[in-house]
Amino acid sequence: MSKKLLTLALSGILLCSMGAPVRAAGNIPTPEAENPEVSNIQSLPSHQFYCGEVKAVLTGEDGAVTGLHMTSEELGEYVMKISDKTFWIDCGKRTPALPSDVTVGERLYVFHSPVSTRSMPPQSAAYAVVRSLPQTSGGAMYQIVEAVEEQEGRLRLTTDNGGLFLYAGPETTLSTYTGGPADGLDGIKAGTCIVAWYDAVALSYPGQAYAQHIMVLDRSAEGEALTRSALAVLLHTAQGSPVVNYLMSYRDVDQSAPYAEAIRWATSEGIISGYDDGRVGPDDAVSREQLAVMLWRWSGSPMLMDYPGLTNYSDAGDIALFAQPALAWAHQKGLLPVGDHLGPKDAVSPAEAEAMLAALRGEKKPLAR
């Protein structure tokens, strides 16, 4: 997250919590060399923060909530699309919430996809909806953990595209979204989706805060398979959503599909290619080696000479020949799983792709829009 995005998020929290104080957080180590100069490189946030009032509740034929038409003086109107993958959180009780009794006029936090339609108002997929907002401070914030580091008996969780260091220690309580047993702080890894409660953010870059409570979001949102079209959209957005003049003739891509321009761009850049039968497979799951190849191509296809790192994996022999240069590069960058099992053919989740892309946020300068 850039300084601008961090400031916007904090400003939104202040507006929604009726003047919640943002102050220097106590009991947080002050890093000596962890405030690199912020560049103008555009990085894709894993999600965006919205705080506003419900203008209308959209429902399906079965009465289930399918969308929230939101309004905000600061952020304008939005339609937040609700699915069975959307997490609902009661901020005050620190428990899951029910969507069925959402009312017009209710104020909510919504954490939503960085990708939205160009309609008026724009529409975006809601990842998490937070209800029962605090009157002062200590709101529940949705985060994707990008890196975990132990420091003096505490964990430092890197989130917000490197824009926030979230510290957790013995005083931090834990729960899970499903109500199952928490695995302790050691169970939080890169790629884990969480909701964290904290009320003091050090006004530095990266920002720093100490978590009072962490809820691990432990249902299918983390295990959902990443599709080829979703990955194309992720990379296209990270690149600044450039418009290209390129003839695309995949027989399984509707030119009006929301991901069509992303696939057009990714094809023109050589990041993605179609199958021999004229399809590109927009709904096909992406394997770990395919993800590495596309990120490698997006980064300019850098080559490593005689890199032995992949030999540490017991299943290195399962890596396809075309993917070996990309996986060697990804391993050298620290993007691959730690341990002796790689799983090159395993399907990956959107959270894993977003975490890997976040780690590369300073590696590539986006095209001018």
Side-chain angles (χ1 to χ4, degrees):
M1 178 184 268
S2 66
K3 274 190 173 179
K4 181 178 180 181
L5 285 173
L6 178 63
T7 302
L8 177 59
L10 294 177
S11 299
I13 297 169
L14 287 172
L15 288 168
C16 288
S17 58
M18 299 179 64
V22 179
R23 59 188 184 277
N27 299 321
I28 297 175
T30 302
E32 297 178 358
E34 296 169 349
N35 294 312
E37 182 179 353
V38 180
S39 68
N40 291 323
I41 295 175
Q42 176 183 351
S43 59
L44 177 71
S46 62
H47 56 273
Q48 292 184 335
F49 173 84
Y50 181 96
C51 180
E53 184 176 294
V54 177
K55 186 175 181 179
V57 179
L58 311 179
T59 58
E61 294 181 358
D62 60 355
V65 178
T66 60
L68 298 174
H69 188 168
M70 306 285 296
T71 181
S72 166
E73 292 182 2
E74 293 293 322
L75 301 173
E77 293 192 14
Y78 253 89
V79 172
M80 301 299 179
K81 304 298 288 184
I82 305 298
S83 72
D84 59 356
K85 305 300 182 185
T86 304
F87 294 99
W88 290 79
I89 310 295
D90 185 308
C91 182
K93 296 179 180 179
R94 298 180 177 178
T95 61
L98 294 175
S100 56
D101 59 349
V102 171
T103 59
V104 172
E106 183 175 350
R107 294 190 69 79
L108 304 169
Y109 295 163
V110 181
F111 299 88
H112 64 97
S113 169
V115 179
S116 60
T117 66
R118 297 183 180 180
S119 59
M120 294 299 291
Q123 302 181 31
S124 185
Y127 295 157
V129 178
V130 179
R131 306 184 63 189
S132 303
L133 301 186
Q135 296 299 309
T136 54
S137 59
M141 305 300 289
Y142 172 88
Q143 306 283 4
I144 296 177
V145 178
E146 296 152 13
V148 180
E149 182 180 352
E150 185 174 354
Q151 291 188 345
E152 299 178 355
R154 299 174 178 176
L155 290 187
R156 189 184 77 179
L157 311 178
T158 302
T159 66
D160 286 345
N161 277 13
L164 176 66
F165 290 154
L166 186 62
Y167 293 90
E171 303 89 352
T172 305
T173 55
L174 292 173
S175 65
T176 62
Y177 188 77
T178 61
D183 294 333
L185 292 176
D186 292 340
I188 299 177
K189 309 294 184 182
T192 300
C193 296
I194 64 173
V195 171
W197 279 256
Y198 51 89
D199 61 1
V201 178
L203 296 181
S204 59
Y205 189 85
Q208 301 175 66
Y210 192 88
Q212 302 163 350
H213 183 80
I214 291 177
M215 177 188 290
V216 177
L217 302 179
D218 57 343
R219 63 176 176 86
S220 58
E222 287 185 287
E224 179 184 0
L226 176 72
T227 63
R228 285 163 65 85
S229 59
L231 179 55
V233 169
L234 195 67
L235 296 176
H236 185 231
T237 306
Q239 195 67 18
S241 302
V243 176
V244 296
N245 182 15
Y246 183 84
L247 178 61
M248 180 180 62
S249 57
Y250 298 124
R251 61 184 179 87
D252 57 350
V253 176
D254 188 328
Q255 299 292 327
S256 63
Y259 52 75
E261 288 305 312
I263 290 182
R264 185 191 312 279
W265 165 82
T267 303
S268 72
E269 293 291 312
I271 295 172
I272 195 172
S273 58
Y275 303 134
D276 292 339
D277 60 1
R279 299 181 304 112
V280 73
D283 296 325
D284 291 355
V286 176
S287 68
R288 183 164 288 113
E289 67 181 9
Q290 290 170 340
L291 172 60
V293 167
M294 293 187 199
L295 288 174
W296 176 67
R297 291 171 178 170
W298 180 77
S299 298
S301 304
M303 298 296 295
L304 301 179
M305 299 302 293
D306 300 324
Y307 183 75
L310 295 178
T311 58
N312 296 327
Y313 292 114
S314 60
D315 54 353
D318 297 336
I319 300 172
L321 183 62
F322 77 91
Q324 290 177 1
L327 283 169
W329 164 83
H331 186 273
Q332 190 270 338
K333 290 288 183 185
L335 303 179
L336 299 183
V338 176
D340 64 354
H341 179 76
L342 174 61
K345 310 298 185 187
D346 293 349
V348 295
S349 68
E352 181 173 348
E354 290 168 356
M356 291 173 70
L357 185 58
L360 293 170
R361 64 188 181 276
E363 296 289 329
K364 184 177 176 67
K365 184 176 180 180
L367 300 175
R369 298 187 67 175

